[in-house]
DNA sequence: GCAAAAGTGTTGTCAGTACACCCATGT
DNA sequence: ACATGGGTGTACTGACAACACTTTTGC
């Protein structure tokens, strides 16, 4: 039993995924998703946490399962069933570094991902689908923005996550009508244009709205 | 590694789930979801298929993963990681019967499910959530209706699956506008009221619509 | 005729889209 | 002044809910 982590990162308005170059057979030297066996005293989620910490030093993050892959011959050496787990992190916060099973670690734009080891192409594809589905229904991704952000920042984030473009006016209306942003009454400074209003994510308000069966569609 | 099957059935306008009474320790005599270990030559899906066939004799069905549960102490005897798998079948088609690990088999209405063995309460709850989410986005459940059915049949099915009530006129408009039903130009016979028009599910049409990025919301 | 369920039409509201326009700042 | 993005108003459309109404059958 193993875990494969799909670590999404956001930087420069781009959605990227963390890949490693395998340091050991099988598929040595080929790119793959970071993954490892689940130890006897770990849950899948704890193992995923450990993997991400080894690679990036990031300790605080949410992980979410995608699917479990059990094809008998998916691993050429032994029977290994693996569960996909994804997380979204802020690339700026930490630099990834190689570790036990990784010769090298790379942030790769989704369009530039080459063929991966094992069935990782499929695992990645499934994860992207699941992520995009989820983003449209719940306000995730706020971990990727600074504490105070502008609506344009948020729009860029969503556009990168979903790979679409939104109309500015309409995006604003939708987000603001959802009422889970706190208007800080502060503004950008030193920008060569009209300074934008700053907001923060109001998680108390969101929890309250959610408890009342509220949902948004983006 | 094991599988636990959440088998949903539909009968008399009611959504039910298949439970077994455990014939062996641990939790002997308690109700549980049917489940078994995944054999070395099986995928999770194949194992789920085998379980359902053992219990109900049903051979043809679709299975779909829910989540994988890996809490270290979820099984009191050994470390067992389990994946939830659900399917929907037509109760009328086959009678369930006890098997290797089942002393008895019962169709139980969702509201009447008692406390279950292991973490099966949680597994069932998650499966119901996932099923309801899915039903709203894709036309599943047609396996549960006879070949030819009325719009009222379909409405009853959806109401049972989702545990809600729909307005008749609006439900019809939505379903018919989706255009994946074939109007058979046939009618009910021998009913003590105006006979209803019969339809069948047009899967060719649905595949075609789906290929063009179409989706419905029910 | 009456009960029962099939099936339709009308109206109001609201969310989402497209698009044009104004505003505030640095250079 | 002007470039650059921030921010807003309006008008159109289409989906959806509510609800009242007509139709067709068996008894």
């Amino acid at each position: 039993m193993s875990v494969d982590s799909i670590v999404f990162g956001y930087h420069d308005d781009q959605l990227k995924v963390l890949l490693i170059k395998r340091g050991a057979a099988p598929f040595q030297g080929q790119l793959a998703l970071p993954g490892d066996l689940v130890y006897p005293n770990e849950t899948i989620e704890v193992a995923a946490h450990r993997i991400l910490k080894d690679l990036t030093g990031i300790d605080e993050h949410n992980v979410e399962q995608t699917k479990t892959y059990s094809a008998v011959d998916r691993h050429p050496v032994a029977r290994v069933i693996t569960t996909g787990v994804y997380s979204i992190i802020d690339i700026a916060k930490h630099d990834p570094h190689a570790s036990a099973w990784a010769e090298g670690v790379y942030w790769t734009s989704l369009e530039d991902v080459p063929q991966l080891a094992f069935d990782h192409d499929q695992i990645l594809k499934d994860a992207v689908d699941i992520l995009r589905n989820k983003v449209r229904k719940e306000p995730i991704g706020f971990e990727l923005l600074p504490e105070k952000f502008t609506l344009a920042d948020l729009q860029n984030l969503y556009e990168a996550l979903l790979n679409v473009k939104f109309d500015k006016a309409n995006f604003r209306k939708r987000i603001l009508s959802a009422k889970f942003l706190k208007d800080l009454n502060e503004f950008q400074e030193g920008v060569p244009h009209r300074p934008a209003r700053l907001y923060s994510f109001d998680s108390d308000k969101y929890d309250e709205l959610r408890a009342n069966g509220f949902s948004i569609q983006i």
Side-chain angles (χ1 to χ4, degrees), chain A residues 157-168:
Chain A
L157 170 62
Y158 272 92
E159 290 181 345
L161 287 174
L162 295 171
N163 196 30
V164 294
K165 288 284 169 198
F166 293 114
D167 178 88
K168 192 187 10 157

Side-chain angles (χ1 to χ4, degrees), chain A residues 4 22 26-27 30-32 74-76 116-121:
Chain A
D4 287 304
R22 286 182 58 82
F27 296 102
Q30 198 169 339
L31 286 174
R74 62 171 293 283
H75 193 296
L116 302 178
F118 305 104
D119 48 0
H120 288 186
D121 290 319

Side-chain angles (χ1 to χ4, degrees), chain A residues 47-61 97:
Chain A
H49 202 99
R50 168 171 55 80
I51 290 170
L52 188 61
K53 188 167 181 201
D54 280 0
L55 281 175
T56 67
I58 290 182
D59 206 347
E60 196 68 47
H61 68 284
H97 44 76

Side-chain angles (χ1 to χ4, degrees), chain A residues 9-60:
Chain A
Y10 175 67
H11 192 51
D12 285 343
D13 299 346
Q14 276 212 307
L15 182 62
K16 310 203 170 187
V17 63
L18 194 64
L19 298 178
I20 60 154
K21 182 181 269 180
R22 286 182 58 82
F27 296 102
Q28 181 162 10
Q30 198 169 339
L31 286 174
L33 296 170
D36 195 11
L37 296 179
V38 176
Y39 297 157
N41 62 338
E42 288 180 329
T43 64
I44 289 170
E45 286 75 14
V46 167
H49 202 99
R50 168 171 55 80
I51 290 170
L52 188 61
K53 188 167 181 201
D54 280 0
L55 281 175
T56 67
I58 290 182
D59 206 347
E60 196 68 47

Side-chain angles (χ1 to χ4, degrees), chain A residues 18 61 80 90 96-97 101 117 131 135 153 182 208:
Chain A
L18 194 64
H61 68 284
V80 180
D90 186 348
H97 44 76
W101 15 262
L131 173 70
V135 167
D153 291 337
K182 190 187 293 175
E208 185 193 319

